[in-house]
């Protein structure tokens, strides 16, 4: 078939444009004939070699440029993936921060150790704070779930802000009760740690008094009344729990004493 064999070879030999064969082929389809001239070529070998060399270099340059563009595209895609993963990790870390005290969050995510979960159990002198809302069971039975959640969340949020400002760590919320301590992460000395907890309790007492009108507007006619207890003593600090779930906390008689002091304290007072 001359169209498929002879003509392409002729086009290649005389270095005609790439679309020349296509144009001739279209002409052939329309007229059903074409003429292949007899060419007696006298070629300068130097020019031919120069052309071939330039052609090879141009092809190599084109290939390198394409590979570079592909690498740049891949780099941009990788960068985008890294940014997306970083945003996801940041969102996860931000959500986790709401479940951890600032001190514990910092010890986990900013630790230089390979396994920050492996926290040694130690004995430390802690200042313990325990508070509880008076007659909270009756309050929870009287209010609608949404109102109850709004009241208790506002109370716990305000108390947490005060604890953070006094550098006291909230150990846990036990329903409406608050267990907090100073000295398990860092310490300013036993006396200063105790003074920080006392200062926190006094600020909490004042803030509770200021928020009574707000809670009454939400439907709590008698407002919130809170008892608080504080003790100081040696506790065992570390991770406690099962293989499936761990909790960083403190164990010891000072915690039980703070709880008992709270139960004996007058309403809206500190013992």
């Amino acid at each position: 078939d001359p169209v498929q064999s002879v003509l392409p070879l002729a086009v290649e030999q005389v270095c005609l444009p790439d679309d020349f064969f296509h144009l001739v082929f279209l002409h052939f389809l329309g007229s059903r004939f074409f003429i292949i001239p007899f060419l007696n070529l006298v070629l300068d070998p130097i020019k031919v070699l120069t052309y071939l060399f330039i052609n090879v270099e141009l092809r190599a340059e084109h290939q390198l440029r394409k590979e570079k563009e592909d690498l740049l595209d891949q780099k941009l895609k990788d960068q985008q993936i890294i940014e997306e993963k970083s945003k996801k990790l940041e969102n996860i870390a931000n959500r986790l921060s709401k479940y951890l005290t600032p001190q514990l969050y910092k010890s986990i995510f900013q630790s230089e150790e390979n396994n920050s979960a492996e926290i040694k159990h130690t004995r430390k002198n802690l200042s313990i704070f325990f508070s509880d809302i008076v007659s909270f069971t009756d309050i929870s039975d009287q209010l609608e779930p949404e109102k109850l959640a709004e009241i208790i969340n506002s109370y716990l949020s305000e108390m947490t802000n005060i604890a953070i400002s006094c550098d006291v760590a909230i150990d846990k919320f036990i329903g409406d009760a608050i267990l907090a301590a100073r000295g398990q992460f860092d310490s300013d000395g036993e006396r200063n740690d105790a003074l920080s907890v006392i200062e926190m309790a006094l600020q909490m007492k004042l803030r509770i008094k200021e928020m009574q009108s707000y809670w009454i507007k939400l439907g709590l006619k008698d407002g919130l009344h809170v008892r608080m207890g504080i003790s100081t003593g040696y506790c065992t600090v570390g991770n406690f729990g099962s293989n499936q779930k761990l909790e960083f906390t403190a164990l010891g008689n000072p915690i039980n004493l703070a709880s008992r002091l709270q139960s004996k304290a007058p309403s809206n007072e500190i013992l």
Side-chain angles (χ1 to χ4, degrees):
D1 185 350
V3 175
Q4 297 296 328
S5 59
V6 178
L7 189 55
L9 183 60
V11 170
E12 181 180 357
Q13 291 297 320
V14 297
C15 302
L16 293 173
D18 293 339
D19 60 347
F20 179 77
F21 169 69
H22 179 68
L23 296 174
V24 172
F25 182 64
L26 292 177
H27 174 74
F28 172 74
L29 292 178
S31 60
R32 309 309 299 176
F33 75 90
F34 62 89
I35 299 174
I36 300 178
F38 177 78
L39 300 176
N40 185 14
L41 301 178
V42 179
L43 302 177
D44 184 348
I46 300 300
K47 292 184 178 180
V48 172
L49 290 176
T50 301
Y51 170 79
L52 293 176
F53 176 77
I54 294 175
N55 189 51
V56 170
E57 289 296 315
L58 289 175
R59 288 178 181 272
E61 182 185 0
H62 175 74
Q63 181 64 27
L64 288 174
R65 186 181 293 109
K66 185 177 183 303
E67 292 176 358
K68 181 179 179 180
E69 291 175 353
D70 292 342
L71 288 173
L72 289 175
D73 290 342
Q74 186 61 43
K75 184 177 180 180
L76 291 174
K77 291 179 181 179
D78 292 342
Q79 183 66 29
Q80 184 178 3
I81 292 173
I82 292 173
E83 290 177 357
E84 291 176 355
K85 295 292 184 182
S86 298
K87 289 181 181 178
K88 288 182 180 180
L89 289 174
E90 184 178 355
N91 290 334
I92 292 172
N94 289 335
R95 290 198 298 270
L96 283 175
S97 68
K98 297 182 182 298
Y99 294 89
L100 303 172
T101 64
Q103 296 89 340
L104 182 56
Y105 179 88
K106 181 179 179 180
S107 70
I108 292 175
F109 287 93
Q110 297 184 7
S111 175
E112 294 181 357
E113 298 179 2
N114 292 331
N115 191 349
S116 58
E118 296 295 333
I119 300 176
K120 295 181 180 179
H121 297 84
T122 58
R123 294 280 291 174
K124 293 186 176 182
N125 195 331
L126 306 182
S127 292
I128 305 296
F129 169 88
F130 200 99
S131 69
D132 195 26
I133 296 176
V134 177
S135 303
F136 181 73
T137 301
D138 296 336
I139 293 173
S140 62
D141 290 339
Q142 295 170 5
L143 296 174
E144 293 296 324
E146 293 78 9
K147 288 293 184 182
L148 178 64
E150 188 174 357
I151 290 172
I152 192 65
N153 287 343
S154 64
Y155 162 72
L156 294 176
S157 295
E158 292 294 325
M159 300 304 103
T160 300
N161 289 337
I162 294 172
I164 292 173
S165 68
C166 294
D167 201 17
V168 178
I170 300 292
D171 186 277
K172 62 173 66 69
F173 299 129
I174 310 169
D176 62 297
I178 299 174
L179 175 61
R182 179 77 173 93
Q184 68 272 59
F185 296 100
D186 51 22
S187 174
D188 293 328
E190 297 174 5
R191 183 175 183 276
N192 289 332
D193 289 347
L195 290 175
S196 295
V197 174
I198 293 171
E199 175 63 24
M200 178 193 71
L202 291 172
Q203 290 187 28
M204 287 180 172
K205 178 182 175 181
L206 178 61
R207 185 59 179 151
I208 290 169
K209 183 179 179 180
E210 293 172 346
M211 294 189 68
Q212 292 299 333
S213 59
Y214 171 74
W215 290 322
I216 291 173
K217 288 180 180 179
L218 290 178
L220 196 60
K221 61 180 181 179
D222 295 326
L224 281 183
H225 303 281
V226 182
R227 297 187 297 259
M228 305 179 192
I230 297 174
S231 69
T232 297
Y234 280 91
C235 300
T236 301
V237 178
N239 284 329
F240 298 93
S242 65
N243 292 332
Q244 293 79 19
K245 184 179 184 299
L246 289 174
E247 183 175 0
F248 183 85
T249 188
L251 302 178
N253 285 328
I255 298 173
N256 298 329
L257 177 58
S259 177
R260 289 196 294 269
L261 289 171
Q262 169 274 135
S263 65
K264 299 297 182 180
S267 178
N268 299 320
E269 294 296 338
I270 306 165
L271 187 60

